[in-house]
Amino acid sequence: MPYDFPELGISFDGMVAVVEIQRPPHNFFDYQLIEQIADAFEALDRDDACRALVLASQGKSFCAGANFGRGPDDASADRQFGEHGFRDDTTGRLYRAAVRLFRCAKPVVGAIQGAAIGGGLGVSLVPDFRVACPETRFAANFVKLGIHPGFGISVTLPRIVGIQQASRLLLTGCRVSGEEAVKIGLADKLSSLENIRSDAVKFAAEMAENAPLAVEAVRATQRQGLADAIAEITEHELAEQQRLRATDDAVEGIRSVAERRLGNFQRR
């Protein structure tokens, strides 16, 4: 089956399909990219030649965040949030596409090289499993920006690492290395930067060699209700993002992160 997506590469290694995000070096995403990934996942669900997937990226970062700014190469702080903040017509559409990712049937392994920051962390939590490397950096930096997490992170992160660790990551905005990610369960395997893609494919192949109907049934049981929970929580996340984005603290947070300094927050 031929696959043609403007910003994705799809290749096969045996029964494992590798879906590669192609927005290097940092792979900032918008709703168009998330919709492409969702379309690719759904097409691969229908392809009997595929029994498991790897989600990977070109470039330095796995995904360094969302881009609601002026363009894919915009280097300003606005690239993550847009000059007019979180708009329901764009972010809402993005979150609806994100829900589609969680409804797909086949197991997914993420090859998380480099940064998975903010919304990029949310993308990295779509796969069932994550392979990291020493260069990997996970961060839920939303509170440093004065805003609320999105992309269903409020559900996916505690589901993976537990409430206590999720609260630590969400309330401090700290960065987590690949080594620490494995220790706390945020990643499942530590590889090298050179081998992260091949190790992710090997991980996916361990699932792909099993009976596909059984694998999909067991996975569906394990993830029962997850997509519905993502659909519900993203509505709440979006409302909180819109509310907080209108505050002075969010303006200061975005500026302070862009200037690489602590924010001077005033609770307003």
Side-chain angles (χ1 to χ4, degrees):
M1 180 185 297
Y3 292 96
D4 184 16
F5 296 94
E7 295 174 295
L8 299 177
I10 298 181
S11 59
F12 277 79
D13 189 323
M15 295 179 289
V16 176
V18 179
V19 179
E20 181 183 64
I21 302 170
Q22 298 178 341
R23 281 189 178 181
H26 298 301
N27 299 293
F28 294 109
F29 70 87
D30 51 24
Y31 70 83
Q32 291 97 333
L33 182 61
I34 300 303
E35 287 181 338
Q36 285 182 57
I37 300 171
D39 288 344
F41 277 23
E42 289 171 357
L44 289 164
D45 265 355
R46 297 188 294 270
D47 188 344
D48 289 341
C50 170
R51 293 189 181 180
L53 288 73
V54 167
L55 180 62
S57 298
Q58 283 184 352
K60 181 178 180 180
S61 302
F62 172 76
C63 180
N67 181 355
F68 297 125
R70 292 177 285 275
D73 299 322
D74 177 16
S76 73
D78 282 340
R79 71 178 168 218
Q80 288 194 359
F81 310 108
E83 295 178 356
H84 306 292
F86 289 90
R87 300 182 299 277
D88 183 57
D89 60 336
T90 54
T91 315
R93 183 173 176 181
L94 187 155
Y95 289 164
R96 288 189 290 274
V99 173
R100 292 171 56 202
L101 296 176
F102 288 95
R103 293 200 188 282
C104 291
K106 295 178 181 178
V108 184
V109 177
I112 317 298
Q113 90 288 358
I117 307 295
L121 172 65
V123 177
S124 79
L125 300 182
V126 170
D128 303 79
F129 308 99
R130 278 150 293 284
V131 179
C133 62
E135 292 81 4
T136 302
R137 294 292 182 270
F138 296 98
N141 64 338
F142 302 95
V143 291
K144 293 185 180 297
L145 294 155
I147 61 166
H148 193 283
F151 213 95
I153 288 174
S154 305
V155 165
T156 54
L157 188 59
R159 180 185 175 98
I160 292 166
V161 302
I163 293 292
Q164 196 71 9
Q165 288 289 358
S167 296
R168 178 175 71 90
L169 300 183
L170 291 170
L171 295 177
T172 66
C174 65
R175 291 199 172 199
V176 175
S177 68
E179 293 92 339
E180 183 183 356
V182 172
K183 289 179 182 177
I184 67 174
L186 184 55
D188 302 277
K189 179 179 176 61
L190 188 68
S191 181
S192 65
L193 182 60
E194 294 77 16
N195 295 325
I196 190 169
R197 182 82 61 94
S198 61
D199 282 348
V201 170
K202 290 176 183 176
F203 196 154
E206 290 183 35
M207 294 177 282
E209 69 186 15
N210 296 315
L213 295 178
V215 168
E216 292 172 26
V218 171
R219 181 178 184 267
T221 299
Q222 293 295 309
R223 292 166 70 97
Q224 188 171 16
L226 178 58
D228 291 339
I230 298 296
E232 181 177 352
I233 202 65
T234 49
E235 291 187 9
H236 171 76
E237 288 175 337
L238 178 56
E240 288 299 283
Q241 286 172 336
Q242 290 173 326
R243 179 179 71 85
L244 291 171
R245 184 60 179 83
T247 65
D248 291 341
D249 278 354
V251 175
E252 167 60 12
I254 293 169
R255 183 180 295 119
S256 66
V257 168
E259 296 173 357
R260 300 182 182 276
R261 60 174 175 81
L262 292 175
N264 180 23
F265 299 115
Q266 303 296 318
R267 196 181 175 85
R268 63 173 184 264

